[in-house]
Amino acid sequence: NAFGLFKIVIPTATAEILLTHNGYLSKQVTVSKHDRLLVTLSPIRIDTDPVAMAKARSKMLHSSNPNYGNVGMGTHSFYNETYGATYENKFVRAAVHPLSTFAIDVDRAAYSNVRRFLRLKAPVPVDAVRIEEMINYFHYDYPLPAKGNTMALYSHYTTCPWEASHRLLEIATRAQALDTDSLPASNLVFLIDVSGSMGTSTKLPLLQAAFRILVNNLRPADKVAIVAYAGEPGVVLPATSGDQKEKILNAIDNLNAGGSTAGEAAIRMAYRIASEQFIPGGNNRVILATDGDFNVGLTSDEEMEQLIIGEKESGVLLTCLGFGMKNYKDSKLQSLSSKGNGNFAYIDDLEEANKIFAREFGSTLFTIARDVQTEVRFNPSMVKSYRLIGYENKILPADSSVKNEYGGGIIGSGHCSVAIYEIIPAEKPPATDTLLARVKIAYRDPQDTVLKYVEGNIPAVLQSFDQASDDCRFAAAVALFGMLLRKSSYCGTGNRNMVMELARDALGADHGGYREEFVKMVKALRKGKRQSLYFISR
């Protein structure tokens, strides 16, 4: 199919298969009957432009189906997608409200979803742009915490490239990385939407290919059950050991789309199975894969939230994977993941599936800390006003008596979470005061209810932005791009040219080539009127 899945009947017990494709190095492999292979061909040229490839794929889809994304005027429209309304954080006077509190987590869905819109030259819904998820999509090289510590804190205080009189404060939290050999056993329930809305090539076939990558990483100690749902949910595969990959893959391959979407009953069934198979001290998780288009049973965001809140007390975590376009319900999946002590990703192509389930397997599926909340207390003597860039839907009440009623986010193995504040400095800071802010991170271990803390002071030592680390400067470039996409009133002199320059000069080690992909995507948007940015306002 479109994602490279195929079967070949071989006439003998073993055979040699030669795989060739234009622009890629050929590969020959020896196979036996009933083998299941995951084959990757290496490109001959490493500078293939992913934006151009996406454009070509879009043209091919449009030529085969004239109704695909067709609204006239040379643009595409994706009808019936829903996004939770977010309103940009404003500057807050430090003398009145010195404390800023927000939840941090491993959600990165917004970046790959925005990338999907930009690749197809489609209008970008303002509420689809969650800047913190765009920043945290990328890998940052901040050192791991010292042995025995769960998290480590880092900060940069620099000048602001888009507003000369302002400053930027970047706060990075790096989590402990579990050794691959010591990862806890996993009890996973794949909750897969096979309703009629999942029948297109960018949904169920891509979902099946993505789960094949995940299954390839399972160990004998792990176990997987599969619940598929359309009009009614059903157990496609009871809990099965991770070393029975053939059995698991057969169940995935034989899924077919059709019917309505009974999301409520399916979620209840998945949590029940996960609870019955619960592994004390293990990674107990429901992985929900869907376009979010529930239409049977509870369907509103609020009703689904209450269902998930009631289930999370079981100790079973939730990962939400979004697929597809036109009827994609981002708001619902984001809400479910945040209420269920979980994380959220959007899979727009097979490379993104590889990133989530292969390259970042540990940070995606293995939680180091939960209910993570960050407090930043600014010193009014040094800070006149501050503004948190992004995190609009993760802001928590500053009142500590109320804040404990709200949950925080989760942090995965080795994950790095970055937050950026834009600061208006005090007009006449005292020469003897060197403290900019105090930071306190509260969290719980995955299997514990006791609150723990990581604390640190941030000195008011200003650094020129040009002298800051690659990680700091690249994160700022992504933040500025997100502000431009949201048509922010705080962009100052910032524009796409500035984003290009900042990002290109801060590529650094660039693990996986994702920063280079970002630069190419921004560069492509600068070329010609037909590649201008489009926005959908509320």
Side-chain angles (χ1 to χ4, degrees):
N1 61 20
F3 300 100
L5 299 182
F6 60 90
K7 297 178 182 179
I8 297 177
V9 177
I10 61 175
T12 57
T14 62
E16 297 290 321
I17 293 182
L18 177 65
L19 299 104
T20 63
H21 190 71
N22 289 340
Y24 290 81
L25 298 174
S26 300
K27 179 178 289 188
Q28 184 167 319
V29 294
T30 303
V31 297
S32 302
K33 283 188 174 181
H34 309 301
D35 274 356
R36 292 178 180 270
L37 305 178
L38 183 62
V39 180
T40 302
L41 298 184
S42 300
I44 295 175
R45 298 177 303 170
I46 62 173
D47 60 347
T48 302
D49 186 350
V51 177
M53 294 176 66
K55 184 177 180 180
R57 286 197 298 270
S58 177
K59 286 184 177 179
M60 179 188 68
L61 287 169
H62 194 281
S63 64
S64 63
N65 179 5
N67 292 320
Y68 175 80
N70 186 14
V71 298
M73 301 300 292
T75 64
H76 298 86
S77 176
F78 296 85
Y79 300 109
N80 205 27
E81 296 194 10
T82 62
Y83 296 90
T86 56
Y87 299 91
E88 189 172 34
N89 291 330
K90 295 178 171 54
F91 277 99
V92 178
R93 291 184 60 84
V96 180
H97 299 289
L99 188 63
S100 171
T101 308
F102 61 96
I104 58 177
D105 55 33
V106 296
D107 290 350
R108 286 166 275 191
Y111 179 82
S112 52
N113 189 30
V114 166
R115 179 178 62 196
R116 182 251 301 192
F117 282 109
L118 296 180
R119 282 177 171 176
L120 297 177
K121 307 300 179 289
V124 180
V126 167
D127 291 323
V129 184
R130 295 185 292 274
I131 296 177
E132 74 282 1
E133 294 182 22
M134 296 180 66
I135 294 172
N136 288 306
Y137 178 86
F138 299 92
H139 177 87
Y140 299 101
D141 281 320
Y142 292 102
L144 292 167
K147 188 175 181 179
N149 293 340
T150 302
M151 285 183 278
L153 273 174
Y154 301 93
S155 64
H156 290 278
Y157 184 47
T158 72
T159 54
C160 178
W162 56 84
E163 194 70 70
S165 63
H166 291 186
R167 307 288 182 257
L168 294 181
L169 171 62
E170 180 191 280
I171 301 172
T173 306
R174 186 71 192 272
Q176 168 195 8
L178 297 175
D179 186 80
T180 304
D181 296 332
S182 62
L183 290 174
S186 292
N187 162 36
L188 306 177
V189 179
F190 297 168
L191 178 53
I192 300 177
D193 183 353
V194 293
S195 63
S197 66
M198 293 291 290
T200 63
S201 62
T202 57
K203 294 185 180 181
L204 186 58
L206 177 56
L207 183 157
Q208 290 169 307
F211 273 99
R212 290 176 68 89
I213 296 171
L214 174 55
V215 171
N216 193 55
N217 284 287
L218 295 177
R219 305 156 297 172
D222 303 325
K223 52 187 176 181
V224 171
I226 300 178
V227 174
Y229 66 97
E232 293 182 358
V235 178
V236 173
L237 182 75
T240 301
S241 171
D243 58 359
Q244 298 186 51
K245 290 183 171 55
E246 179 82 12
K247 186 176 181 180
I248 301 171
L249 291 173
N250 275 335
I252 293 172
D253 288 349
N254 290 326
L255 295 173
N256 293 293
S260 56
T261 315
E264 174 199 355
I267 290 173
R268 294 187 189 278
M269 178 180 289
Y271 271 98
R272 177 178 57 78
I273 293 173
S275 297
E276 291 171 352
Q277 300 294 326
F278 194 86
I279 300 175
N283 175 36
N284 300 280
R285 188 178 297 264
V286 171
I287 302 179
L288 169 62
T290 177
D291 58 10
D293 192 13
F294 304 122
N295 54 30
V296 175
L298 303 179
T299 58
S300 74
D301 291 3
E302 293 78 11
E303 290 173 316
M304 297 301 287
E305 282 179 16
Q306 292 306 311
L307 169 60
I308 292 299
I309 290 172
E311 296 287 359
K312 80 172 184 177
E313 300 305 321
S314 64
V316 177
L317 303 181
L318 177 68
T319 291
C320 292
L321 303 177
F323 291 84
M325 57 185 69
K326 292 194 176 182
N327 62 339
Y328 170 58
K329 307 302 183 187
D330 179 274
S331 61
K332 202 177 297 291
L333 295 181
Q334 181 196 9
S335 173
L336 295 182
S337 65
S338 64
K339 300 300 181 182
N341 261 341
N343 50 353
F344 174 31
Y346 177 81
I347 298 181
D348 57 337
D349 58 24
L350 198 53
E351 171 55 32
E352 186 65 17
N354 266 301
K355 181 177 188 289
I356 293 169
F357 287 142
R359 297 187 182 95
E360 299 176 1
F361 182 69
S363 62
T364 299
L365 291 184
F366 294 90
T367 299
I368 291 294
R370 64 184 180 91
D371 296 328
V372 186
Q373 300 180 0
T374 297
E375 288 185 359
V376 182
R377 184 176 292 276
F378 289 97
N379 179 1
S381 297
M382 304 299 292
V383 177
K384 179 180 179 180
S385 301
Y386 62 87
R387 187 179 82 85
L388 180 58
I389 301 177
Y391 289 92
E392 282 86 0
N393 62 350
K394 300 176 178 68
I395 300 292
L396 300 176
D399 185 350
S400 60
S401 64
V402 177
K403 190 173 54 192
N404 289 335
E405 299 176 8
Y406 293 78
I410 65 171
I411 295 294
S413 172
H415 180 71
C416 185
S417 180
V418 173
I420 299 176
Y421 285 91
E422 186 172 347
I423 290 174
I424 301 176
E427 295 174 359
K428 295 181 179 180
T432 57
D433 200 338
T434 59
L435 178 67
L436 183 74
R438 290 188 173 91
V439 180
K440 181 168 74 172
I441 297 179
Y443 69 95
R444 292 182 172 90
D445 290 333
Q447 307 298 328
D448 199 353
T449 59
V450 178
L451 272 176
K452 298 182 178 181
Y453 300 94
V454 176
E455 300 183 59
N457 292 334
I458 299 177
V461 179
L462 184 64
Q463 182 182 29
S464 169
F465 184 83
D466 293 339
Q467 301 301 313
S469 69
D470 290 336
D471 285 344
C472 177
R473 289 181 288 121
F474 188 82
V478 179
L480 175 58
F481 189 56
M483 290 161 60
L484 292 171
L485 290 174
R486 287 189 62 87
K487 303 178 72 173
S488 169
S489 58
Y490 300 109
C491 292
T493 61
N495 53 35
R496 279 174 287 160
N497 288 333
M498 180 181 289
V499 172
M500 274 287 301
E501 293 171 5
L502 297 181
R504 190 171 47 206
D505 293 340
L507 292 178
D510 195 16
H511 303 277
Y514 299 112
R515 294 188 184 188
E516 180 66 31
E517 178 196 55
F518 173 79
V519 170
K520 288 182 178 180
M521 185 170 68
V522 178
K523 182 179 180 180
L525 290 170
R526 298 195 306 170
K527 294 180 180 178
K529 294 182 178 179
R530 292 188 65 186
Q531 296 193 16
S532 300
L533 284 178
Y534 298 91
F535 305 91
I536 297 177
S537 299
R538 280 181 295 273

